[in-house]
Amino acid sequence: QYSPYYNSHHYNSPYLTSSNISPAAITAPLAYQHPEHPAMMANHSPESHTGKDLASSSSPLFIWDLDETIIIFHSLLTGTFSSRFGKDSSKAVSLGLWMEEMIFNLADSRLFFNDLEECDQVHIDDVASDDNGQDLSTYNFGSDGFQSPAGAGSLCLGSGVHGGVDWMRKLAFRYRRVKEVYNTYKNNVGGLLGSPKREEWLQLRREMEVLTDLWLTHALKALALINSRPNCVNVLVTTTQLIPALSKVLLYGLGSAFPIENIYSATKTGKESCFERVSQRFGRRAVYVVIGDGAEEETVAKKKNMPFWRVSCRADLEALSHALELDYL
């Protein structure tokens, strides 16, 4: 448990003033607003973006990586962020561990990660065809026998899921509930966490922004600029398993940037397969831009002739926002 350590004020930074980071700014969905681009919440269904809609305009579709591109997480734990940018390494590791605990706590407590870890999917709707649409308002997930004595994990080994019809329906119910939780709370993560977790989360977010020189704030600015355009779409392709990825997206305040239908996990299939799914969904004629820090997304982008925007430091995110503001992208 990290909270007693963090609630003490060892790290009251002189840079943490109400003028640059406030709880309101952290909880407000995509609070950045450019004078010429009034902030627009993505309230349209992403499924309505057919290839034709996007192909008829020159607006690109942006495929984002998550870790070390939009958010700083693993590099805090491994020490690479602190060594690269001259930060306090013990502080970085402790913030990383604190965030890791929150990610898995949320995934386990609200997003069924205990049930779904072995039954990971690429996309939230991948098992929706097994869902009979039953009302789940009084459904008891704890006693429906999903975690069978034989061990549900064995049903999910290999490339697919091998349960019977009844078990597959229970799996689909869990993914439907995850989708409901995400859509209900994506702009109100504090409400999902409740007190005192909410206060702990806000403190963690503030301390991480100070340590990373407002990295996430700059990423959110670029995401908001893209969201403010009528025909532009943000898509996330991450190597994190889907459920922890959704937990990360919520905890880092990215829910309003990414409709859940636009989030793909490449854990099982790799990024190339996910890029293929995205281009099938939105059409071959759409313009795609890939934004990431890793070799895998860069290699796939080159192979598919998609422009690649490398993010290796905060300035790369600032340059991206600048290019978007000037309509270079």
Side-chain angles (χ1 to χ4, degrees):
Q1 291 301 310
Y2 306 101
S3 13
Y5 175 61
Y6 290 99
N7 289 343
S8 57
H9 296 286
H10 295 309
Y11 292 108
N12 249 345
S13 163
Y15 304 109
L16 190 55
T17 64
S18 56
S19 63
N20 60 13
I21 321 172
S22 67
I26 288 175
T27 49
L30 293 181
Y32 170 76
Q33 191 161 348
H34 186 268
E36 283 122 58
H37 300 282
M40 182 196 89
M41 299 308 299
N43 54 4
H44 48 266
S45 158
E47 297 298 335
S48 65
H49 282 288
T50 62
K52 195 172 66 192
D53 294 336
L54 283 170
S56 63
S57 73
S58 58
S59 297
L61 183 145
F62 293 83
I63 302 177
W64 291 80
D65 173 52
L66 180 60
D67 277 283
E68 317 315 317
T69 298
I70 300 176
I71 70 172
I72 299 300
F73 175 60
H74 282 299
S75 62
L76 295 177
L77 295 167
T78 60
T80 50
F81 185 87
S82 48
S83 58
R84 272 192 67 201
F85 298 105
K87 301 294 180 182
D88 178 337
S89 60
S90 60
K91 172 67 172 165
V93 170
S94 57
L95 288 179
L97 287 170
W98 190 10
M99 180 55 93
E100 184 177 57
E101 188 218 10
M102 291 207 87
I103 289 166
F104 287 104
N105 188 288
L106 180 60
D108 287 336
S109 64
R110 302 303 301 268
L111 305 175
F112 300 105
F113 191 50
N114 286 323
D115 286 355
L116 301 176
E117 184 172 8
E118 302 295 329
C119 307
D120 192 42
Q121 303 299 315
V122 175
H123 188 269
I124 194 69
D125 292 330
D126 281 357
V127 289
S129 57
D130 295 299
D131 192 330
N132 64 0
Q134 176 181 330
D135 176 18
L136 299 179
S137 55
T138 58
Y139 186 84
N140 190 332
F141 286 96
S143 63
D144 68 350
F146 179 80
Q147 291 283 18
S148 59
S154 58
L155 296 167
C156 296
L157 295 175
S159 56
V161 179
H162 310 295
V165 173
D166 183 51
W167 187 87
M168 287 296 297
R169 188 166 61 243
K170 292 167 185 172
L171 179 68
F173 286 170
R174 280 158 174 76
Y175 276 101
R176 168 153 48 115
R177 176 54 59 84
V178 167
K179 189 174 184 175
E180 286 169 2
V181 169
Y182 183 96
N183 287 333
T184 302
Y185 291 103
K186 63 183 185 180
N187 295 326
N188 178 23
V189 179
L192 179 63
L193 296 173
S195 223
K197 270 270 185 260
R198 176 184 180 273
E199 289 68 35
E200 188 190 321
W201 167 68
L202 288 171
Q203 185 188 349
L204 170 59
R205 288 275 305 273
R206 282 194 295 271
E207 292 194 29
M208 283 187 105
E209 280 298 85
V210 171
L211 183 86
T212 62
D213 301 313
L214 306 182
W215 185 291
L216 180 62
T217 300
H218 286 284
L220 281 167
K221 177 178 174 180
L223 287 162
L225 284 164
I226 293 164
N227 257 0
S228 71
R229 295 176 171 183
N231 296 313
C232 275
V233 179
N234 285 311
V235 172
L236 190 66
V237 175
T238 173
T239 48
T240 304
Q241 280 188 278
L242 185 62
I243 298 300
L246 296 175
S247 188
K248 281 183 187 176
V249 166
L250 290 169
L251 288 169
Y252 279 86
L254 300 165
S256 50
F258 295 104
I260 196 168
E261 294 85 0
N262 289 11
I263 299 173
Y264 295 81
S265 165
T267 309
K268 289 200 307 188
T269 63
K271 289 202 167 180
E272 186 169 353
S273 165
C274 290
F275 280 35
E276 194 56 42
R277 279 188 65 164
V278 171
S279 57
Q280 280 173 6
R281 176 177 154 198
F282 291 98
R284 302 256 172 224
R285 291 175 56 218
V287 181
Y288 295 90
V289 177
V290 180
I291 303 165
D293 71 297
E296 189 186 2
E297 56 261 26
E298 183 172 12
T299 306
V300 177
K302 283 206 171 97
K303 189 173 174 182
K304 295 190 169 296
N305 294 314
M306 297 173 177
F308 180 76
W309 190 284
R310 184 194 312 283
V311 174
S312 52
C313 61
R314 196 198 65 189
D316 295 333
L317 290 169
E318 293 180 66
L320 175 62
S321 289
H322 197 54
L324 288 163
E325 284 172 332
L326 296 173
D327 286 330
Y328 289 154
L329 274 179

